[in-house]
């Protein structure tokens, strides 16, 4: 069974708790350092200083009343205790306590004192219930050791050392933890709420609901992730809408010819016609709608093939003017039927690198649209010229004006500007989609402009081969 890992919020929570714990431990060790190293060091230095000063008052063992009075006065006004004795036994009588579980003076200590060296002793004294810091200083006479000065001071407990600063520590610590809570809570809200919302919304997206958006309060890394999530949701919502529209369009485009085919086939099957001419008309309609179905399927396959990410155009030098002339010849009958005139401006020297069949498909679909939507006896303008380093193909017709809202959607599958979907113009609604895709594969641009003054203008621009550039 796979072990469940901790969530990000749990990891951050543990990190914060660990940081606080580390801070407390650091504070403890820091205070311990202050007590052990600074406080005790200052006490040791003070004891040694006071002991040395006291021992320095004795000159060759002379102990007068003035010195005794000074020692008594020092014991009264100072926290230090000073004892002056003549020998080791007398010192043991005045201070019979053990320091750190050991006698105050051991044999090695007595040896050091006899030599004239002072000793420092510290440890716990049970009778005082305190640790003490003490020192013993020898008094040297002309004939050697003649006395001892013993000075000691009981150490205050840890809480007593910091008793004066405890209120400050409590207040500052309280403020610190309140600020820490506010900061952590702010971080938690700014970081984990968008993540929780994203988790909730991801479930909605998995169900196909793309309408929700995350509220952005900050634009940090998590905010940028939320922004990217919103963009993804918007894109999925748009794709879902287009998919539904595409399916609706496919159903509509296929249903109509199938209805015609089914209806007229049933009429022929039951001999529901009055003459051979009427039956022939039924068959002609069936054939036309069958051809229309075939064209829709062919265009869809062609468009899907062009949109494959692995599809690559096999480019070769193309004299595009000749392809355009050949394409225009295919429209002579239809132009004559609608009494349409053509205004040609074709530069015959232009050469591009591309696929000849696909370029003819571009010319055919653009001109086909112009012929379909041009009123009778109007003029269609066809230009093939050089602009900068590009071949520019422009077809203009005087059909109905396309609204600004519809222009960006030209080239979408099955999109038509004739909202009623009039079948009088024919077509599959896929022609410009194929044009846009082929032009994109040739690294070109496709655009449409439509105004009442100049009509509808479809433009295609593709880079020329270098040797065709004109000065």
């Amino acid at each position: 069974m796979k072990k469940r890992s901790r969530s990000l919020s749990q990891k951050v929570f543990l990190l914060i708790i660990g940081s606080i714990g580390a801070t407390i431990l650091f504070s403890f060790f820091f205070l311990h350092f202050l007590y052990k190293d600074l406080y005790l060091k200052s006490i040791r230095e003070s004891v040694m200083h006071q002991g040395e000063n006291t021992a320095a008052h004795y000159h060759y063992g002379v102990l007068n009343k003035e010195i005794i009075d000074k020692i008594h006065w020092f014991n009264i006004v100072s926290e230090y205790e000073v004892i002056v004795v003549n020998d080791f036994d007398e010192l043991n009588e005045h201070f019979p306590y053990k320091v750190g579980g050991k006698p105050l003076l051991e044999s090695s200590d007595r040896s050091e004192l006899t030599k004239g060296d002072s000793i420092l002793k510290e440890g716990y004294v049970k009778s005082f219930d305190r640790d003490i810091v003490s020192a013993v200083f020898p008094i040297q006479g002309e004939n050697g050791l003649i006395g001892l000065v013993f000075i000691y001071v009981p150490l205050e407990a840890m809480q007593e050392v910091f008793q004066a600063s405890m209120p400050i520590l409590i207040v500052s610590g309280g403020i610190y933890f309140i600020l820490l809570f506010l900061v952590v809570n702010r971080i938690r809200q700014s970081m984990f709420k968008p993540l929780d919302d994203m988790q909730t919304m991801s479930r909605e997206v998995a169900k196909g609901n793309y309408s929700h958006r995350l509220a952005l309060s900050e634009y940090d890394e998590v905010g940028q992730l939320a922004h990217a999530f919103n963009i993804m949701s918007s894109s999925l919502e748009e794709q879902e809408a287009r998919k539904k529209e595409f399916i609706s369009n496919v159903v509509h485009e296929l249903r109509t010819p199938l209805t015609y085919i089914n209806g007229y086939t049933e009429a022929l099957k039951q001999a529901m016609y009055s003459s051979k001419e009427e039956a022939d008309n039924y068959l002609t309609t069936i054939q036309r709608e069958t051809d229309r179905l075939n064209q829709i399927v062919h265009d869809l396959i062609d468009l899907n093939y062009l949109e494959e990410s692995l599809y690559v155009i096999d480019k070769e030098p193309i004299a595009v003017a000749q392809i355009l002339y050949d394409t225009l010849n295919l429209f002579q009958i239809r132009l004559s039927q609608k009494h349409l005139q053509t205004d040609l401006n074709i530069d015959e020297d232009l050469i591009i690198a591309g696929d000849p069949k696909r370029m003819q498909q571009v010319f055919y679909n653009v001109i086909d649209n112009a012929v379909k939507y041009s009123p009778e006896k109007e003029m269609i303008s066809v230009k093939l010229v050089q602009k900068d380093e590009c071949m520019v193909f422009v077809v203009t017709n005087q059909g109905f004006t396309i609204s600004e809202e519809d222009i960006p959607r030209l080239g979408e599958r099955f999109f038509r500007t004739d909202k009623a979907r009039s079948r009088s113009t024919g077509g599959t609604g896929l022609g410009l989609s194929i044009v846009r895709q082929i032009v994109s594969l040739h690294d070109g641009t496709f655009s449409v402009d439509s105004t009442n003054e100049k009509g509808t203008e479809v433009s295609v621009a593709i880079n020329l081969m270098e040797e065709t550039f004109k000065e």
Side-chain angles (χ1 to χ4, degrees):
M1 182 176 179
K2 187 177 180 180
K3 185 178 180 182
R4 184 179 178 183
S5 61
R6 292 187 178 91
S7 66
L8 180 60
S9 60
Q10 290 175 328
K11 292 178 181 178
V12 173
F13 175 76
L14 291 175
L15 176 63
I16 293 174
I17 294 300
S19 299
I20 294 175
T23 302
I24 294 174
L25 288 175
F26 172 78
S27 301
F28 171 78
F29 286 117
F30 182 69
L31 292 175
H32 188 266
F33 165 77
L34 290 178
Y35 175 73
K36 292 291 290 183
D37 287 0
L38 300 183
Y39 174 66
L40 289 180
K41 182 180 179 181
S42 65
I43 292 296
R44 292 189 192 103
E45 291 176 351
S46 179
V47 166
M48 295 298 293
H49 177 71
Q50 295 296 338
E52 289 172 354
N53 286 342
T54 303
H57 286 86
Y58 294 91
H59 301 286
Y60 302 105
V62 178
L63 184 62
N64 54 37
K65 184 178 182 302
E66 181 182 357
I67 294 175
I68 295 174
D69 290 340
K70 284 184 179 181
I71 292 174
H72 286 306
W73 174 251
F74 183 78
N75 284 333
I76 293 173
V77 300
S78 172
E79 59 180 338
Y80 299 98
E81 294 289 337
V82 180
I83 300 174
V84 180
V85 295
N86 294 318
D87 53 35
F88 297 121
D89 294 335
E90 189 178 353
L91 178 59
N92 287 332
E93 291 177 2
H94 283 80
F95 194 89
Y97 314 111
K98 291 185 177 182
V99 179
K102 297 179 181 180
L104 175 63
L105 295 178
E106 297 179 293
S107 59
S108 59
D109 298 327
R110 297 188 181 195
S111 176
E112 292 292 325
L113 291 170
T114 303
K115 294 177 182 178
D117 297 328
S118 60
I119 61 171
L120 181 68
K121 303 285 287 187
E122 60 183 72
Y124 179 74
V125 177
K126 185 177 181 180
S127 298
F128 298 160
D129 193 22
R130 294 285 181 90
D131 285 340
I132 68 166
V133 174
S134 63
V136 182
F137 299 88
I139 302 174
Q140 295 290 340
E142 293 181 352
N143 298 320
L145 183 69
I146 61 173
L148 299 168
V149 175
F150 176 61
I151 182 170
Y152 70 93
V153 58
L155 298 179
E156 295 178 346
M158 187 70 172
Q159 61 269 24
E160 293 175 345
V161 174
F162 299 101
Q163 184 174 10
S165 60
M166 192 62 66
I168 298 176
L169 290 175
I170 293 174
V171 172
S172 60
I175 294 174
Y176 167 75
F177 281 107
I178 290 173
L179 293 175
L180 180 64
F181 172 79
L182 294 176
V183 171
V184 170
N185 189 56
R186 177 65 176 172
I187 294 174
R188 182 188 64 80
Q189 290 180 349
S190 64
M191 179 179 292
F192 297 116
K193 190 176 185 306
L195 293 176
D196 292 338
D197 292 343
M198 272 187 274
Q199 187 177 23
T200 302
M201 284 183 59
S202 64
R203 298 192 185 99
E204 294 297 318
V205 170
K207 296 176 183 177
N209 183 3
Y210 311 116
S211 59
H212 296 295
R213 300 291 181 271
L214 292 169
L216 302 179
S217 57
E218 297 184 12
Y219 207 70
D220 53 8
E221 287 81 358
V222 177
Q224 293 178 34
L225 180 61
H227 179 64
F229 191 93
N230 286 341
I231 293 175
M232 180 195 71
S233 298
S234 299
S235 178
L236 289 173
E237 185 177 24
E238 183 178 350
Q239 290 183 18
E240 182 69 14
R242 291 187 177 183
K243 183 180 74 173
K244 290 179 180 178
E245 183 180 8
F246 171 73
I247 294 173
S248 175
N249 289 332
V250 169
V251 170
H252 177 86
E253 295 294 337
L254 296 179
R255 179 184 293 158
T256 304
L258 287 173
T259 301
Y260 275 89
I261 293 171
N262 183 65
Y264 286 116
T265 301
E266 189 67 25
L268 290 172
K269 184 178 180 181
Q270 298 181 12
M272 297 173 60
Y273 52 86
S274 58
S275 64
K276 184 178 183 301
E277 289 77 12
E278 186 177 358
D280 289 340
N281 287 335
Y282 289 172
L283 289 172
T284 301
T285 302
I286 291 173
Q287 183 179 9
R288 185 180 68 244
E289 295 304 321
T290 302
D291 291 340
R292 177 174 172 76
L293 280 175
N294 286 331
Q295 187 63 44
I296 290 174
V297 173
H298 178 271
D299 286 349
L300 278 173
I301 293 173
D302 203 20
L303 186 57
N304 284 332
Y305 179 65
L306 290 171
E307 290 179 345
E308 286 290 335
S309 59
L310 298 178
Y311 179 76
V312 179
I313 287 288
D314 294 327
K315 295 181 179 181
E316 61 181 69
I318 305 173
V320 286
Q322 185 59 52
I323 294 178
L324 180 56
Y325 283 130
D326 293 341
T327 305
L328 286 169
N329 287 335
L330 300 176
F331 289 92
Q332 291 305 315
I333 296 176
R334 291 175 60 188
L335 291 170
S336 299
Q337 288 175 344
K338 296 185 70 171
H339 307 288
L340 297 174
Q341 301 295 319
T342 56
D343 178 22
L344 304 181
N345 180 9
I346 299 175
D347 187 339
E348 298 180 353
D349 297 327
L350 302 182
I351 299 176
I352 67 169
D355 187 325
K357 292 182 179 179
R358 293 301 181 186
M359 285 308 304
Q360 185 169 34
Q361 201 171 4
V362 169
F363 294 153
Y364 185 92
N365 288 350
V366 173
I367 296 172
D368 182 57
N369 267 6
V371 173
K372 286 177 188 176
Y373 295 107
S374 290
E376 293 188 358
K377 300 180 181 180
E378 287 291 345
M379 179 73 71
I380 296 177
S381 172
V382 180
K383 295 181 181 179
L384 186 68
V385 296
Q386 177 180 345
K387 184 176 181 181
D388 297 328
E389 299 177 354
C390 293
M391 172 215 80
V392 179
F393 170 62
V394 182
V395 176
T396 306
N397 71 83
Q398 301 300 320
F400 64 88
T401 304
I402 303 172
S403 66
E404 293 183 1
E405 294 78 11
D406 288 340
I407 286 178
R409 299 195 61 190
L410 291 175
E412 292 182 13
R413 297 183 179 191
F414 295 114
F415 179 75
R416 292 178 176 177
T417 56
D418 51 337
K419 305 301 182 182
R421 298 180 180 270
S422 172
R423 300 182 61 82
S424 61
T425 58
T428 63
L430 297 170
L432 290 184
S433 299
I434 294 173
V435 169
R436 184 187 290 271
Q437 194 63 33
I438 293 174
V439 172
S440 176
L441 290 171
H442 282 80
D443 300 320
T445 59
F446 170 83
S447 62
V448 178
D449 188 22
S450 184
T451 62
N452 291 326
E453 293 76 16
K454 66 178 182 180
T456 299
E457 180 181 278
V458 179
S459 300
V460 172
I462 297 176
N463 290 332
L464 292 166
M465 292 188 67
E466 293 184 3
E467 58 266 24
T468 64
F469 294 166
K470 296 182 178 180
E471 298 295 335

